[in-house]
């Protein structure tokens, strides 16, 4: 799975999001900015992001994803 594929999947799965990817296809990090995260805890935000790519993680297509989340106001 390429960084671009992960980015597109996250952006389509999280409303009004902007995603910045770093790393390689198997082990990467994502910075996700979305108003969806407003009022949510860090754990709730991470769960939203990881739910979008849960199948890829389960299948081993995506081995690790480090996540940082922000609302537009926080960024």
């Amino acid at each position: 799975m390429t960084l671009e594929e992960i980015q597109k999947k996250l952006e389509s799965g999280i409303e009004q999001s902007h995603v910045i990817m770093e790393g390689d296809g198997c082990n990467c990090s994502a910075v996700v900015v979305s108003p969806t995260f407003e009022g949510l805890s860090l754990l709730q935000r991470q769960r939203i992001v990881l739910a979008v790519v849960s199948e890829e993680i389960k299948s081993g297509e995506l081995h690790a994803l480090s996540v940082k989340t922000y609302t537009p106001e926080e960024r």
Side-chain angles (χ1 to χ4, degrees):
M1 183 165 220
T2 67
L3 292 180
E4 292 80 19
E5 290 171 329
I6 299 166
Q7 179 178 354
K8 286 179 185 177
K9 185 160 181 84
L10 290 173
E11 287 179 341
S12 66
I14 301 170
E15 190 174 321
Q16 299 178 21
S17 64
H18 174 70
V19 178
I20 301 166
M21 299 296 303
E22 294 181 347
D24 64 41
C26 294
N27 298 290
C28 55
S29 63
V31 175
V32 184
V33 180
S34 174
T36 301
F37 301 136
E38 188 71 41
L40 299 179
S41 70
L42 292 177
L43 182 59
Q44 290 170 314
R45 294 175 181 198
Q46 282 198 337
R47 286 181 177 160
I48 289 170
V49 174
L50 294 177
V52 174
V53 292
S54 64
E55 290 303 315
E56 289 77 6
I57 292 171
K58 286 179 189 175
S59 73
E61 190 174 4
L62 179 60
H63 295 214
L65 178 64
S66 171
V67 176
K68 292 183 181 179
T69 58
Y70 301 95
T71 65
E73 292 79 26
E74 294 170 338
R75 197 67 175 155

